[in-house]
Amino acid sequence: MAERANYGPEHDALRYSVQRFFESEIAPNYADWEKRGYVDRDVWRKAGSLGLLCSTVPEEYGGPGGDFLTASVIIEEQMRQGYSAPGFYTHSDIIAPYILEFGSEALKRRWLPRMASGEAIAAIAMTEPGAGSDLKAIRTHARRDGCDFIINGAKTFITNGYLADLVVVAAKTAPEKGAHGISLIVVETKTPGFRCGQILEKMGQKAQDTVELFFDEVRVPASNLIGDENQGFSYLMRQLAQERLAVAVSAIGWAKGVLADTVRYTRDRQVFGSPLMTFQNTQFKLAECRAEIMVGEAYVDRCITRHMEGRLTDAEAAAAKMWLSEMQARVIDTCLQFFGGYGYMSEYPVARAYTDARAQRIYGGANEIMRMIIARSL
């Protein structure tokens, strides 16, 4: 691919570190993790020791002190290697920023160092059985009782939920106010009344633990509130642009990895006595894939720059998430065809990438919602 102006030698070194980590710690175990539905906790601690977690958390809170450009290298390289698990970027680039940007000093001191080291694994609980992209429709509620909140409700499709030590829960604290009555509250998973359901069986991303969570009179101190009461929806809206940008970055990595595998395969695969790559159809289709990735890469890099300058708009982030996730699907589908029947076999990375990619158009806000956001900016 073309040289990317955003990145320097230090980012190349980081890419190499991420590659080595996934080759040595993830690849040998991934098939077993897919069968059972979750990864070993030990890999989180190993990633933390290498500075691969919570990259934007300052050193004073135990983090590496990097920026979103650093985070993007880790996200892209993990997905280029073809592994949707562990859920590092949910933990590092979606959840940690809520605590860092809006949490009290006590919450920062308690959780960020442990999250950066991999000692504590974090999940965020927004989606409910009856509320997905429409966060205003959530029914989980938290009522005040003296110096505590008591939480009741259920959440579903929660990434990292099975292994989580803490969950950032979106709950109605003033139901009569609608979206303006939502708060974000940290719940420790050992708290009485909290229960984690069975690991959900999914189409793809099988090594990534995804569960339902249940809250039955879960009592937590009011000091676990992130920011101000009833301001949770505004916090969510302010962070969703970064979440959607992270999805776009991951889409670039996934598409690049699959294309590279397919180029290698078509150079080796013999059809009618010639390498598959020598056929014009193969060359043209793969050229189209490469062009799409290069165009998407340029837009993502522009969005990263604008995000780091504090100028990324909701519509720009929505466009990145929508277009890149759909580009990823097109590229993977095109590439899978060149593998023939082998592309349909789960042991081939392209088959795993095909099923893993489908969720990209759903989480972070369904792509139909992204179109609505873009349309409102017209």
Side-chain angles (χ1 to χ4, degrees):
M1 295 297 173
E3 184 178 343
R4 300 164 72 181
N6 286 2
Y7 300 96
E10 69 278 14
H11 299 110
D12 293 337
L14 177 58
R15 285 185 191 279
Y16 181 59
S17 295
V18 178
Q19 289 173 25
R20 286 189 302 171
F21 175 79
F22 275 84
E23 288 168 0
S24 64
E25 303 296 339
I26 305 299
N29 304 299
Y30 206 76
D32 291 336
W33 294 341
E34 286 191 302
K35 291 175 184 176
R36 74 183 192 190
Y38 63 95
V39 306
D40 291 336
R41 291 188 66 96
D42 189 49
V43 303
W44 285 83
R45 290 186 286 269
K46 290 178 179 178
S49 70
L50 294 172
L52 302 183
L53 299 178
C54 302
S55 56
T56 61
V57 170
E59 294 180 4
E60 65 177 302
Y61 297 118
D67 54 23
F68 189 76
L69 195 58
T70 307
S72 72
V73 171
I74 298 170
I75 295 168
E76 183 181 318
E77 200 55 42
Q78 173 175 349
M79 301 312 168
R80 195 180 72 80
Q81 298 293 314
Y83 301 111
S84 58
F88 288 160
Y89 85 75
T90 299
H91 169 98
S92 301
D93 306 304
I94 296 175
I95 301 165
Y98 283 111
I99 298 174
L100 179 63
E101 296 298 324
F102 310 116
S104 66
E105 189 66 18
L107 283 177
K108 294 175 188 177
R109 296 288 178 188
R110 175 168 174 74
W111 290 114
L112 292 178
R114 297 173 63 191
M115 289 175 64
S117 69
E119 178 188 351
I121 299 171
I124 186 163
M126 293 188 283
T127 303
E128 297 184 3
S133 296
D134 183 10
L135 292 174
K136 298 187 294 294
I138 65 172
R139 302 182 65 179
T140 297
H141 61 276
R143 70 178 189 273
R144 276 276 194 172
D145 184 34
C147 295
D148 297 329
F149 283 108
I150 299 177
I151 304 172
N152 285 279
K155 300 289 184 177
T156 194
F157 309 142
I158 307 305
T159 299
N160 294 344
Y162 184 75
L163 293 175
D165 301 287
L166 70 149
V167 181
V168 174
V169 180
K172 290 279 185 70
T173 42
E176 71 281 0
K177 295 182 179 179
H180 300 292
I182 295 175
S183 298
L184 300 181
I185 304 171
V186 175
V187 175
E188 297 186 47
T189 56
K190 294 182 180 179
T191 306
F194 172 87
R195 181 167 64 87
C196 176
Q198 295 295 312
I199 294 175
L200 300 173
E201 294 189 17
K202 308 186 296 297
M203 173 194 296
Q205 303 195 16
K206 293 181 179 294
Q208 175 56 60
D209 59 300
T210 307
V211 297
E212 292 181 303
L213 302 178
F214 302 95
F215 305 84
D216 182 12
E217 294 289 292
V218 176
R219 180 182 291 270
V220 299
S223 58
N224 281 21
L225 179 71
I226 293 179
D228 296 322
E229 191 170 344
N230 300 325
Q231 294 300 307
F233 189 77
S234 66
Y235 299 153
L236 291 168
M237 293 302 101
R238 286 159 64 180
Q239 290 295 320
L240 277 174
Q242 177 165 303
E243 178 177 347
R244 288 162 182 163
L245 182 53
V247 173
V249 171
S250 72
I252 282 288
W254 246 317
K256 288 170 71 173
V258 170
L259 178 59
D261 285 345
T262 306
V263 169
R264 286 191 291 268
Y265 181 81
T266 56
R267 285 173 175 166
D268 294 336
R269 177 70 169 174
Q270 296 287 312
V271 177
F272 303 121
S274 299
L276 185 54
M277 179 58 92
T278 62
F279 292 87
Q280 188 179 71
N281 178 70
T282 305
Q283 295 172 6
F284 281 11
K285 287 291 186 181
L286 296 183
E288 290 172 6
C289 290
R290 179 163 186 175
E292 287 213 72
I293 292 171
M294 292 174 73
V295 170
E297 190 176 66
Y299 183 64
V300 163
D301 286 353
R302 175 182 180 272
C303 286
I304 291 171
T305 298
R306 287 179 61 79
H307 179 54
M308 293 174 62
E309 294 171 349
R311 298 192 297 127
L312 182 68
T313 68
D314 290 340
E316 289 170 333
K321 192 269 182 187
M322 180 197 75
W323 194 86
L324 269 296
S325 63
E326 294 180 0
M327 179 277 291
Q328 172 190 357
R330 290 192 298 271
V331 167
I332 294 173
D333 185 67
T334 297
C335 288
L336 187 149
Q337 190 71 14
F338 289 110
F339 287 80
Y342 293 108
Y344 202 64
M345 299 296 107
S346 296
E347 65 189 270
Y348 275 68
V350 69
R352 185 174 68 228
Y354 185 88
T355 53
D356 283 0
R358 188 59 185 86
Q360 292 269 90
R361 288 174 275 168
I362 300 172
Y363 52 46
N367 280 6
E368 290 73 18
I369 302 298
M370 300 303 99
R371 287 173 166 83
M372 292 173 61
I373 294 169
I374 298 164
R376 286 200 295 264
S377 71
L378 297 178

